[in-house]
Amino acid sequence: MKLELQVKDIISKSILTPAKGALEGFSHSLNPYAGCAFGCKYCYVRQLPVSLYREEEWGTWVDIKTNAAALLRKELIKARKKGPVTLFMSSSTDPYQPIEFKTKLTRSLLEVMLEDLPDFLFVQARSPLVKRDVDLFKQFGNRIRVSMTIETDKEEIRKAFSPSAPPIPARMKAIQEITEAGIPTQATIAPLLPCSKEFPKKLKQIANRVVLDDFWMGDGSRGKRTEKLEIRKIYERMGMEKWYNPHAYKVVLKMLQEELGHVELLVSQKGFQPGEQ
Ligand code: SF4
């Protein structure tokens, strides 16, 4: 049974966090919310302090950082004094999860950025709601990339690993519309989940580039974090153990190389860098 989502307004002390680890190419990460209603089973944030020191289960709570826009206005000025400002939004929440329909908090952050344009903004989402803000994305010119996570093309697989996240066809349609609006985009297969042979073809028309990552390259611990989350059991339950393997991505990579043609293809961390590659 799905637990009811606990939503709370909070006052945050800061909004820009110095980027590190896999995001070290960026100056800061930016999370408008704490917690995430999508609650993906493989989400590595489950093992970070923000989740560990909380009684409620990851995926059942969201804190709204109500003062995020005011903080951002101030912190952007400070950050700019120290060098280029390259933002990753978001690293430990989805900036376009359902509560964003009502709060428009992420949208308000984009509006603040447009007053004082950062050198680069990377928007990472799993939700079709992201297309609502196309009008604002357009004003960033080439200082933005919008990335949609599309881990698989199979709905039954998506439902096994992230039952509360939006359906894959809706995500594909949304990123295609954003691409067609002339905004730099990315279809992000991360983490790679079992998929069909048609997956590369489906991705070809919908984004300017495709990025492939898996648990072993992308979880920051060569797969140990994923092992602790017992993701292996989901593969076993579904009889898909052969996909739970650090070499499985190579098969999909080859298919993507053969299919994508002019569409740029990057692997793991190279697909999460600010600016033109
Ligand atoms: S959408 Fe991202 S932050 Fe939210 S649960 Fe899934 S992986 Fe974690």
Side-chain angles (χ1 to χ4, degrees), residues 196-251:
S196 83
K197 283 192 184 124
E198 286 73 44
F199 193 25
K201 197 174 264 173
K202 292 178 190 168
L203 294 177
K204 193 174 178 179
Q205 307 296 343
I206 63 171
N208 306 131
R209 79 179 186 197
V210 173
V211 169
L212 175 63
D213 206 354
D214 72 1
F215 295 124
W216 295 271
M217 296 183 284
D219 81 348
S221 66
R222 297 197 185 147
K224 286 193 199 111
R225 274 178 171 167
T226 310
E227 199 57 44
K228 274 197 202 146
L229 289 171
E230 302 192 331
I231 294 304
R232 179 192 290 274
K233 285 189 182 161
I234 305 177
Y235 285 82
E236 286 170 357
R237 228 174 19 244
M238 299 188 86
M240 297 227 169
E241 295 92 325
K242 66 174 187 208
W243 281 90
Y244 191 72
N245 175 330
H247 301 290
Y249 88 94
K250 292 178 190 164
V251 178

Side-chain angles (χ1 to χ4, degrees), residues 35-40 42-45 58 91-94 126 162 165:
C36 183
F38 292 154
C40 308
Y42 52 71
C43 181
Y44 73 92
V45 185
W58 181 251
S91 56
S92 56
T93 189
D94 192 305
R126 262 176 186 72
S162 55

Side-chain angles (χ1 to χ4, degrees), residues 10 12-13 21 27 31 37 40 45 59 61 67 77 94 98 122 137 146-147 161 187 226 229 233 242 251 261-262 266:
I10 62 162
S12 199
K13 287 197 186 108
S27 67
N31 292 286
C40 308
V45 185
W61 59 274
N67 59 335
I77 297 169
D94 192 305
F122 191 99
F137 297 151
V146 177
S147 166
F161 288 87
T226 310
L229 289 171
K233 285 189 182 161
K242 66 174 187 208
V251 178
H262 67 281
L266 296 171

Side-chain angles (χ1 to χ4, degrees), residues 249-265:
Y249 88 94
K250 292 178 190 164
V251 178
V252 178
L253 179 63
K254 190 159 178 287
M255 291 191 325
L256 288 164
Q257 284 164 336
E258 284 166 6
E259 181 63 42
L260 288 184
H262 67 281
V263 179
E264 191 182 6
L265 173 63

